[in-house]
Amino acid sequence: MTNTIFSGKCPQCQLLNDDVDMRQNNYPFWECPKCELQILVEDEKALILRNRGKGEFIYNLIKFNRECVLVETDSHSYPNGKEIIDTVHLEKYLKNKVQQSEEFTCTKLINSYVNFKFDNQPEDNYIKQSEHFKIDFEDNSIQ
Ligand SMILES: [Zn+2]
């Protein structure tokens, strides 16, 4: 049951067996580059915020390296005192309370390109976004 402990990986992506390191965004919260889930760490608790981030990351390489219990927040992003006890609880909270992630956004298109080009990440994400928007940054005929 490692899913209900936050140790730097996105808990939502972990449910899909995808280990994604969360990064610091401008607020600064921890945000998943893939699904934009946001976490605020306060008093050794990892608060899962109900609204998603916008992919506006701080360009640092800091990774979260502690272990915190995941907790719910209310609609104003304050902790509501409920610890997330297992993956079923987590899934339910993500599905019913947290804003859903949009699969295709311009920010994701740009971030996936930057990740693939400059961060040695696989091209798949970028191709998916690129095909959706019919924009390919590798195509020199577009401005
Ligand atoms: Zn995620």
Side-chain angles (χ1 to χ4, degrees):
M1 284 295 166
T2 51
N3 275 336
T4 55
I5 295 284
F6 177 58
S7 58
K9 308 278 185 199
C10 171
Q12 178 156 26
C13 290
Q14 275 185 321
L15 289 174
L16 307 167
N17 288 320
D18 197 356
D19 278 344
V20 183
D21 283 314
M22 293 186 95
R23 292 175 46 189
Q24 285 186 304
N25 67 18
N26 285 342
Y27 286 103
F29 304 139
W30 293 91
E31 180 178 330
C32 171
K34 202 163 171 191
C35 71
E36 284 131 14
L37 188 74
Q38 295 190 109
I39 285 182
L40 166 63
V41 175
E42 220 176 58
D43 301 328
E44 297 303 306
K45 292 202 187 325
L47 282 51
I48 302 183
L49 303 184
R50 293 192 182 199
N51 60 320
R52 301 266 166 182
K54 297 189 175 68
E56 290 160 354
F57 294 105
I58 298 174
Y59 282 89
N60 66 26
L61 295 171
I62 296 174
K63 283 183 185 170
F64 188 79
N65 58 8
R66 304 202 310 270
E67 293 200 333
C68 297
V69 180
L70 288 169
V71 297
E72 293 188 6
T73 53
D74 64 18
S75 49
H76 304 286
S77 293
Y78 290 110
N80 65 5
K82 288 188 192 153
E83 286 189 3
I84 293 172
I85 48 169
D86 57 24
T87 48
V88 177
H89 184 168
L90 178 61
E91 265 172 39
K92 237 168 126 182
Y93 174 69
L94 290 171
K95 187 164 168 259
N96 299 328
K97 300 287 162 63
V98 177
Q99 181 191 7
Q100 298 306 301
S101 154
E102 283 175 56
E103 196 174 358
F104 301 102
T105 65
C106 288
T107 314
K108 281 190 179 176
L109 172 67
I110 293 163
N111 284 343
S112 64
Y113 183 68
V114 171
N115 289 342
F116 146 65
K117 245 349 218 188
F118 307 106
D119 208 13
N120 286 321
Q121 290 191 22
E123 198 179 4
D124 322 15
N125 274 336
Y126 170 62
I127 291 175
K128 218 170 71 183
Q129 295 287 333
S130 165
E131 282 174 352
H132 176 81
F133 288 105
K134 312 224 176 330
I135 294 172
D136 184 1
F137 295 130
E138 300 281 89
D139 180 354
N140 292 325
S141 67
I142 58 166
Q143 296 285 316

